[in-house]
């Protein structure tokens, strides 16, 4: 009886260990949001490069995470990476679609020069039209902004596609610069997205 109990204990321990190993590894918790260490996108495994919280005055607005095929700490290296990429934004408060759209457009204006803004105007207009399709974002909503090499920039809200795919890689890079460019929305958040998780 003791032997079978011992075997049962080992079997249960092995089953528990297998269950734990089968779960996706959680790398960090940022702003109360648990973020996976890796995600699958376009048949590739992307690694969590960095994450942080965007504040407006003293209020938490969202947690944002950057996933890349390999970890990088410099903007130029990130922009040159082949393969898919993901920005994941998890809302920490409710905002209207107008507020979200304005934040994106202001970010693009601040982080891109006039020549880039002119060249990417049609893509920016297409991206901006997406916000008209969304009445607003609620606390807990998840917005993903993915770069898919064979398709373009794809946005999903809680797993459902929003708007059309925007095909130009330069446009996706312009979006990335909102957070990790030379004139980011938040310098501390930029450092976090570039891998300084302290």
């Amino acid at each position: 009886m003791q032997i079978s109990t011992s075997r049962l204990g080992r079997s249960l321990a092995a089953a528990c260990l297998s269950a734990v190993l089968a779960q996706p590894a959680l790398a960090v918790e940022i702003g109360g949001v648990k973020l996976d260490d890796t995600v699958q996108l376009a048949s590739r495994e992307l690694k969590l490069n960095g994450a942080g919280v965007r504040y407006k005055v003293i209020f938490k607005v969202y947690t944002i995470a950057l996933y890349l095929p390999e970890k990088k700490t410099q903007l130029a290296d990130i922009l040159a990476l082949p393969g898919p990429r993901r920005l994941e934004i998890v809302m920490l408060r409710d905002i209207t679609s107008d507020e979200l759209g304005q934040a994106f457009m202001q970010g693009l204006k601040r982080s891109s020069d006039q020549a880039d803004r002119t060249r990417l105007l049609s893509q920016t207009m297409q991206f901006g039209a997406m916000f008209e399709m969304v009445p607003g974002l609620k606390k807990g909503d998840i917005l993903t902004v993915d770069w898919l090499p064979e398709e373009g920039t794809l946005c999903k809200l809680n797993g459902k596609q929003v708007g059309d795919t925007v095909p130009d890689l330069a446009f996706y890079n312009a979006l990335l610069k909102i957070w990790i460019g030379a004139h980011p929305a938040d310098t501390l958040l930029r450092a976090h997205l570039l891998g300084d998780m302290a």
Side-chain angles (χ1 to χ4, degrees):
M1 186 70 173
Q2 240 177 342
I3 294 173
S4 62
T5 303
S6 176
R7 283 182 183 158
L8 179 62
R10 283 197 299 272
S11 296
L12 285 172
C16 289
L17 181 60
S18 295
V20 168
L21 293 176
Q23 298 297 317
L26 294 175
V28 289
E29 185 172 317
I30 303 289
V33 176
K34 292 180 180 178
L35 299 168
D36 290 334
D37 193 34
T38 60
V39 296
Q40 292 290 324
L41 182 64
S43 302
R44 291 283 302 274
E45 181 178 88
L46 303 185
K47 297 173 177 62
L48 178 63
N49 198 73
V53 174
R54 174 72 170 118
Y55 288 86
K56 186 134 185 177
V57 191
I58 59 169
F59 301 104
K60 293 178 179 179
V61 182
Y62 54 78
T63 292
I64 183 169
L66 174 62
Y67 289 92
L68 302 171
E70 56 188 88
K71 293 192 175 189
K72 297 291 182 184
T73 59
Q74 300 296 319
L75 174 65
D77 294 336
I78 291 170
L79 300 184
L81 268 178
R85 309 171 198 166
R86 168 170 285 176
L87 282 168
E88 182 172 302
I89 299 169
V90 182
M91 299 307 301
L92 300 177
R93 60 181 302 214
D94 296 357
I95 64 170
T96 67
S97 59
D98 284 346
E99 289 173 316
L100 181 64
Q102 286 174 13
F104 266 106
M105 295 309 157
Q106 287 170 1
L108 283 169
K109 185 175 181 180
R110 182 181 54 248
S111 61
S112 301
D113 61 30
Q114 182 63 50
D116 280 345
R117 290 199 302 273
T118 300
R119 187 164 52 87
L120 298 172
L121 182 60
S122 63
Q123 292 96 321
T124 302
M125 297 294 286
Q126 182 182 341
F127 190 76
M130 175 190 80
F131 298 111
E132 297 173 12
M133 302 175 190
V134 180
L137 297 181
K138 303 292 185 187
K139 182 177 179 180
D141 280 351
I142 301 172
L143 179 67
T144 55
V145 185
D146 294 336
W147 170 252
L148 303 172
E150 302 301 319
E151 300 177 48
T153 298
L154 176 67
C155 292
K156 290 186 178 180
L157 179 59
N158 299 323
K160 184 178 178 183
Q161 182 172 340
V162 180
D164 296 324
T165 304
V166 182
D168 195 342
L169 176 58
F171 177 74
Y172 192 84
N173 285 341
L175 288 179
L176 284 180
K177 289 178 188 176
I178 292 174
W179 292 277
I180 61 172
H183 306 286
D186 181 316
T187 53
L188 182 58
L189 181 54
R190 178 184 190 272
H192 289 165
L193 290 169
L194 292 176
D196 180 2
M197 303 292 278

